[in-house]
Amino acid sequence: MWEKAIVGMAALRILSGSIEILAALLILKVNEVEKALVINSGLAIVGPIVLITTTTIGLLGMSDRISFAKIAWILVGISCILIGVRK
């Protein structure tokens, strides 16, 4: 049987992918660049939220098998990714 953390991470990724597909279909439906950019901007929020949430679920699932120092390094890495994407 699958671990709860694995199921949670997979479910979030499926949800995220479904949102991306729906947004692509919506962009095709509106057929206007201005509206498409608004939809695309909304997706910019979804990506980091899913990244942070899935990583958190994974870390919680591994918390009994990984040291605090390694968890801290992972969090620093995620912060660097988010800062790099913003700038």
Side-chain angles (χ1 to χ4, degrees), residues 5-52:
I6 295 295
V7 173
M9 292 171 72
L12 276 172
R13 285 297 173 185
I14 290 170
L15 176 65
S16 174
S18 299
I19 291 169
E20 294 274 347
I21 291 169
L22 288 173
L25 293 173
L26 188 58
I27 287 171
L28 289 172
K29 182 179 179 180
V30 297
N31 197 28
E32 292 180 36
V33 175
E34 294 83 11
K35 290 181 181 177
L37 282 172
V38 170
I39 294 167
N40 194 57
S41 297
L43 288 175
I45 297 170
V46 174
I49 290 172
V50 171
L51 170 69
I52 292 168

Side-chain angles (χ1 to χ4, degrees), residues 1 4 11-12 14 29 37 40 44 53 57 66 72 74 80 83-84 86:
M1 201 60 173
K4 289 179 183 179
L12 276 172
I14 290 170
K29 182 179 179 180
L37 282 172
N40 194 57
T53 307
I57 291 171
I66 191 168
I74 292 169
C80 289
I83 290 168
R86 276 189 55 206

